[in-house]
Amino acid sequence: AQKVTQAQTEISVVEKEDVTLDCVYETRDTTYYLFWYKQPPSGELVFLIRRNSFDEQNEISGRYSWNFQKSTSSFNFTITASQVVDSAVYFCALNFGNEKLTFGTGTRLTIIP
Amino acid sequence: GAGVSQTPSNKVTEKGKYVELRCDPISGHTALYWYRQSLGQGPEFLIYFQGTGAADDSGLPNDRFFAVRPEGSVSTLKIQRTERGDSAVYLCASSWTTSGGGNEQFFGPGTRLTVL
């Protein structure tokens, strides 16, 4: 069985602060894929990143960075110099092959101007 | 290009009624997924199509729920004898299919179903 845990239900930070969203996963598969999606107030899920289980290189995209550690089964997401437009619910998800995504319960991030 | 579209955007119905929710995937995407998102929760998987056939329907909660994709493109999620607990946002997603898998799923805006 696959499981994704996002222990932080809600986070609030002041604009320009850095913030890290945690994600811990469980799977018995040796090949799997990890994702982060953003769900702004409009409701549509927006893809942010995908990693496969064989690629533990951290990735940076502008103000966003991701830290994948197989040893701790974690795939954390950091936003540097947060902006009000970053306010949204963020979901971590896991899948195997072409199959269903298993989502965490999400972290609601509020950036205070 | 056009993204995944879903109609209607909102549907209000009475308990016991039948509803159909439609999904138009991105052209050329062979995989199509239905998820359900309740308030404050992450999306939960319902069913996955590969072409015209349901490759995995393990997430359908009971036999009141059924989905079809007769021509391998548009899909319809059908709910019979709706119950108040069916109220949720129903999300559709589509993706390419490759041997390695793990392709990005593109999501539609969802249909908000309210059962009174």
Side-chain angles (χ1 to χ4, degrees):
Chain A
Q2 299 181 337
K3 184 179 178 182
V4 176
T5 301
Q6 294 180 257
Q8 304 151 307
T9 306
E10 295 191 29
I11 300 176
S12 295
V13 299
V14 176
E15 194 173 19
K16 298 184 184 176
E17 289 185 350
D18 300 346
V19 58
T20 295
L21 309 183
D22 297 335
C23 172
V24 174
Y25 63 92
E26 297 175 30
T27 180
R28 292 181 181 174
D29 298 311
T30 55
T31 303
Y32 53 88
Y33 301 86
L34 294 162
F35 300 78
W36 276 94
Y37 280 84
K38 175 181 180 180
Q39 190 171 44
S42 61
E44 195 156 341
L45 282 160
V46 177
F47 167 82
L48 295 178
I49 190 171
R50 172 190 58 240
R51 305 300 284 173
N52 74 53
S53 52
F54 297 107
D55 183 1
E56 285 193 74
Q57 267 197 330
N58 292 330
E59 182 155 339
I60 298 174
S61 176
R63 297 184 295 106
Y64 295 172
S65 62
W66 291 269
N67 184 330
F68 175 28
Q69 294 200 352
K70 284 180 77 170
S71 61
T72 56
S73 297
S74 65
F75 186 43
N76 296 338
F77 173 30
T78 297
I79 301 174
T80 303
S82 60
Q83 299 177 2
V84 171
V85 293
D86 297 327
S87 296
V89 180
Y90 290 86
F91 291 97
C92 181
L94 168 71
N95 85 345
F96 169 72
N98 292 304
E99 299 181 5
K100 62 186 179 185
L101 286 167
T102 298
F103 285 86
T105 51
T107 297
R108 180 176 299 277
L109 176 64
T110 302
I111 308 300
I112 303 165
Chain B
V4 178
S5 63
Q6 293 186 246
T7 54
S9 55
N10 279 284
K11 176 71 177 179
V12 181
T13 191
E14 294 180 343
K15 181 175 178 293
K17 299 289 188 183
Y18 167 84
V19 297
E20 288 190 352
L21 311 179
R22 176 188 169 105
C23 172
D24 278 89
I26 292 172
S27 178
H29 280 187
T30 53
L32 185 146
Y33 309 81
W34 283 98
Y35 295 85
R36 178 167 73 174
Q37 187 175 21
S38 301
L39 195 62
Q41 299 296 314
E44 293 181 323
F45 170 76
L46 295 176
I47 186 169
Y48 153 50
F49 287 90
Q50 190 60 251
T52 60
D56 181 0
D57 65 358
S58 62
L60 295 178
N62 51 59
D63 61 6
R64 295 187 298 104
F65 288 75
F66 188 71
V68 295
R69 194 186 185 199
E71 296 177 0
S73 178
V74 170
S75 176
T76 305
L77 178 65
K78 308 179 180 193
I79 310 174
Q80 298 177 320
R81 304 183 305 281
T82 51
E83 300 178 355
R84 292 194 180 88
D86 299 335
S87 297
V89 176
Y90 289 80
L91 297 168
C92 177
S94 69
S95 74
W96 299 108
T97 303
T98 58
S99 59
N103 295 308
E104 172 191 352
Q105 293 182 22
F106 294 81
F107 282 81
T111 294
R112 182 176 298 279
L113 176 65
T114 303
V115 182
L116 302 176

